[in-house]
Amino acid sequence: MKEARIKLALAMRALEKTGWLDTVNALRRAGLLTGLKTHILNIGGNASFQVLEEVQRLPAGIADAAMGVFSKQRTVAGPSVDALIKAGREAGTRGLREALEIMRSGATRSDLAAVDYSREINSPSPLVNRYVRFVFRTMGAEDRIFRVFAFRRSLEAQAALLKNKALADNPTPEMVTRAIADGEFTTFNNPNIIAKGAGIAQGYLRTQGPAGKALSFGIDMAAPFKNTPTNIVARVLDYTPVGAGWKVAWHAGKAAYVKSLSADQQAAIANAVGRGTTGSALLYLGYKLAEKGLATGVREEDPSERAVTESAGRIPGAVRVGNKWRQIIRFSPGGNLIALGATLYRESKRDLADEAKRPENLVKIGTQTVLEQPMLEAAKGVIEGLEQPGRRLTSGAASMAGSFVPTLASDIAAATDKYQRQVKGAGPGIIARTPFRRMLPARTDVLGQPIPARGAFDPTVGSAAKETSDPLIREAIRESARFGITPQRAGESKEEHAARSAATGRLIEAVARRMIETEMYREMPQTGGPPPLEGSLRKAAISKAAEGSRSFVTEALNGEE
């Protein structure tokens, strides 16, 4: 009977045909997931989240025990090495077996027997079908191992609360239902209202003729992935004091209203406390690392500030390990929280002319932090385009066009190139992801130096920390100095602007390097020096040297004209 149901499920799936618009969308989505970095991030994110969930059991268990004094019930099991070992053993046996089943059939045998399976592409092209299915099956197989781990860990926790360890091997239907939900939660696969709503809306649009289908296709272009990214955002929020505080207040308020604390409410409050406490520790870690110059926050919005960090090799959401910056922001949610803490430190030290804008900046920080995910790059481009349509239109077009080139092909092309490339417009966006990328001019930093290519297959990027060896960069970072930027002049071509910017940058570097070696500069107080100057002279000197060099180049060119 089981084999008959499996055959029935496979036959039913084969009858579901894929239209050409959905085929194009599937090809693009698969291409975005082909990168080796994407799979390492997926595995690393899943693994690190399992660790966080185990760590948070300690404060959650304490909160649960405190509430249990009054409610006379326990709803959260604390950390357990024995439970972790059993969960790991099951992940390495049943989890690996089911992962292989997914690679072969697109679903596990048990799911097929229950006629419960995910739709797969079924286009007229067998080659396209094999390619797309392989990519998505690989992602599903990776997740399956961690889902089995979380499933068994949940059963162990439930059995411990019921004081009957045998139930972990012979669970009740209610325990199984809870464990399935926990497995989906810890792999970012649980259903959520945003993804469901988008699916319902797109399903309706597809019934509204060509215009509706086109609009649905446009939504997929802007947000090719919906369920996993929105779950990542939710998990990051769960681990912040804001998200945890909201959940505690919500469930405590409901309990106070009915004058009774249910087991589910107590568990929700305890887990919110546990996650909020754990997340706060990671925020503090990021804050302190940034204070010591060992962590960077999210991408700088101010172009002149971003120019200095770029010339220093500092990448957003990274920690310094030895003489390299290693990006961690894409390992969710832990990496996001450390990067968020580093950003909070940076913003707390920033001088603002209007303090009323600080809360608005903090909201932007949260948005930027969660948008630094591989699956949210398209959505990030859309949001930035809406915020700054003039400036982001070109980069958005380049990103969208380039996204149709599979990431693996792009990474292979980048691995053979020493420099990053200037990408402006749809055409260059595609070329930059192919072996012809050297046709594009190299990107240069504010000092006119070509920007080295970063690890094509390294998910942490691995950018050299120049402040450890370069005196000028070290001074600029320590003093929060600015080199400024060279704006494009009216009637100036992109090539002319790039050449002038590079020449200006080289002059700035030469002048500034000479200046910081002078006795007068060395006698100026460093940042944190005695008031009232507190190091402002060094910052002003570097900035003025840059400004003077830029003015010199501009006047020289005006004189030629």
Side-chain angles (χ1 to χ4, degrees), residues 145-399:
I145 295 172
F146 291 100
R147 286 179 73 167
V148 170
F149 177 93
F151 178 88
R152 179 66 189 214
R153 183 65 186 92
S154 177
L155 291 180
E156 292 289 337
Q158 293 179 72
L161 290 171
L162 295 171
K163 298 180 180 179
N164 185 351
K165 291 187 177 181
L167 284 174
D169 293 313
N170 298 285
T172 65
E174 292 77 12
M175 291 175 65
V176 171
T177 299
R178 170 70 180 275
I180 290 173
D182 288 341
E184 292 176 341
F185 179 88
T186 55
T187 55
F188 312 105
N189 283 304
N190 56 292
N192 67 71
I193 190 170
I194 296 177
K196 280 185 176 180
I200 293 171
Q202 286 187 267
Y204 172 76
L205 288 172
R206 292 190 185 102
T207 66
Q208 301 305 300
K213 290 180 180 179
L215 182 55
S216 176
F217 180 76
I219 293 173
D220 282 329
M221 289 296 100
F225 307 101
K226 301 173 185 67
N227 198 67
T228 297
T230 47
N231 280 329
I232 289 174
V233 173
R235 298 298 81 79
V236 172
L237 188 60
D238 285 343
Y239 273 82
T240 63
V242 174
W246 164 254
K247 285 197 171 183
V248 169
W250 173 258
H251 290 287
K254 288 173 65 177
Y257 181 76
V258 298
K259 298 181 180 179
S260 176
L261 183 64
S262 70
D264 287 343
Q265 289 171 336
Q266 181 171 321
I269 293 172
N271 282 316
V273 171
R275 291 176 181 130
T277 303
T278 304
S280 295
L282 290 174
L283 288 169
Y284 181 73
L285 175 62
Y287 189 96
K288 298 304 288 185
L289 286 173
E291 186 177 46
K292 295 180 180 298
L294 297 175
T296 62
V298 298
R299 183 174 179 267
E300 291 271 13
E301 282 297 302
D302 183 86
S304 61
E305 293 177 357
R306 189 166 62 247
V308 174
T309 59
E310 185 177 64
S311 64
R314 290 188 162 203
I315 50 180
V319 295
R320 202 176 88 196
V321 180
N323 294 327
K324 290 215 173 213
W325 287 102
R326 298 288 180 183
Q327 194 171 57
I328 60 170
I329 193 170
R330 294 188 172 194
F331 290 95
S332 300
N336 299 99
L337 293 163
I338 294 174
L340 181 57
T343 311
L344 291 174
Y345 170 78
R346 184 186 75 200
E347 294 301 315
S348 71
K349 302 302 179 182
R350 188 192 300 277
D351 294 327
L352 291 179
D354 183 3
E355 279 295 324
K357 290 186 177 181
R358 198 173 292 277
E360 178 185 343
N361 289 348
L362 293 177
V363 173
K364 286 183 177 180
I365 288 169
T367 304
Q368 282 182 284
T369 302
V370 298
L371 285 175
E372 293 293 335
Q373 303 305 313
M375 291 186 177
L376 283 173
E377 288 181 355
K380 178 183 177 182
V382 172
I383 292 173
E384 290 180 342
L386 292 174
E387 290 178 344
Q388 304 174 53
R391 206 176 91 188
R392 300 292 188 187
L393 182 61
T394 301
S395 61
S399 177

Side-chain angles (χ1 to χ4, degrees), residues 406-427:
T407 302
L408 180 59
S410 173
D411 289 343
I412 292 172
T416 62
D417 194 355
K418 293 195 301 182
Y419 302 116
Q420 297 181 39
R421 298 292 164 177
Q422 292 182 28
V423 180
K424 295 181 179 179

Side-chain angles (χ1 to χ4, degrees), residues 72-126:
K72 308 303 180 184
Q73 60 186 356
R74 290 299 304 273
T75 63
V76 174
S80 170
V81 175
D82 182 60
L84 288 174
I85 292 173
K86 290 179 178 178
R89 187 181 300 124
E90 185 147 344
T93 52
R94 182 169 70 87
L96 184 58
R97 183 180 69 250
E98 292 185 353
L100 293 174
E101 290 174 359
I102 289 173
M103 290 302 298
R104 284 194 296 266
S105 306
T108 65
R109 287 178 60 82
S110 57
D111 287 342
L112 288 172
V115 197
D116 179 16
Y117 56 85
S118 299
R119 291 184 61 188
E120 288 193 314
I121 186 172
N122 190 15
S123 74
S125 171

